[in-house]
Amino acid sequence: MTDLRVTYDGQANAAYVYFVDPQTRPRVAHMYPCDPIEVDGMINLDFDKDGRLVGIEVLAADTKLPQYLIDAADRLDE
C-alpha cells in the first residue's frame, strides 16, 4: 500500500490529502469545490493542468475524517 501524506491545521479544522509527492510542489490548475449539503461540509478537489487529481482539501475535517487519520497527519498548527 502506498503511503499518503495528510496535513491537518487544527485552528482552521482543515485537512489536505496529497495524491502526489508534496515535495514536488504540484501546481493546482483547477479547483473543483464540492459543498454537499447532505454531509454539512466542504471538500475541494485540486487538479493539475493535465486533469490529474493532486489532492483533496477537507474543511470541518474533524467531523468528516476518521480520527486516526487526523492523529497521524502532519500538524500545521504546532
Side-chain angles (χ1 to χ4, degrees), residues 27-49:
R27 296 192 58 105
V28 174
H30 178 72
M31 187 267 297
Y32 180 77
C34 304
D35 192 6
I37 295 170
E38 296 85 13
V39 296
D40 189 33
M42 176 163 253
I43 299 168
N44 296 315
L45 306 176
D46 290 338
F47 295 89
D48 68 10
K49 65 180 177 58

Side-chain angles (χ1 to χ4, degrees), residues 4 23 33 38-39 43 53 55 57 66 68 70 72 76-77:
L4 293 176
Q23 301 303 321
E38 296 85 13
V39 296
I43 299 168
L53 184 63
E57 179 185 36
Y68 80 88
I70 292 172
L76 301 178
D77 56 347

Side-chain angles (χ1 to χ4, degrees), residues 5-76:
R5 179 169 184 228
V6 178
T7 58
Y8 178 70
D9 183 331
Q11 292 179 329
N13 192 17
Y16 197 87
V17 180
Y18 292 84
F19 293 119
V20 296
D21 181 358
Q23 301 303 321
T24 63
R25 313 255 317 147
R27 296 192 58 105
V28 174
H30 178 72
M31 187 267 297
Y32 180 77
C34 304
D35 192 6
I37 295 170
E38 296 85 13
V39 296
D40 189 33
M42 176 163 253
I43 299 168
N44 296 315
L45 306 176
D46 290 338
F47 295 89
D48 68 10
K49 65 180 177 58
D50 297 319
R52 279 178 259 167
L53 184 63
V54 297
I56 299 175
E57 179 185 36
V58 180
L59 304 178
D62 65 350
T63 64
K64 304 295 170 258
L65 297 175
Q67 188 62 46
Y68 80 88
L69 193 59
I70 292 172
D71 292 343
D74 294 336
R75 298 296 297 239
L76 301 178

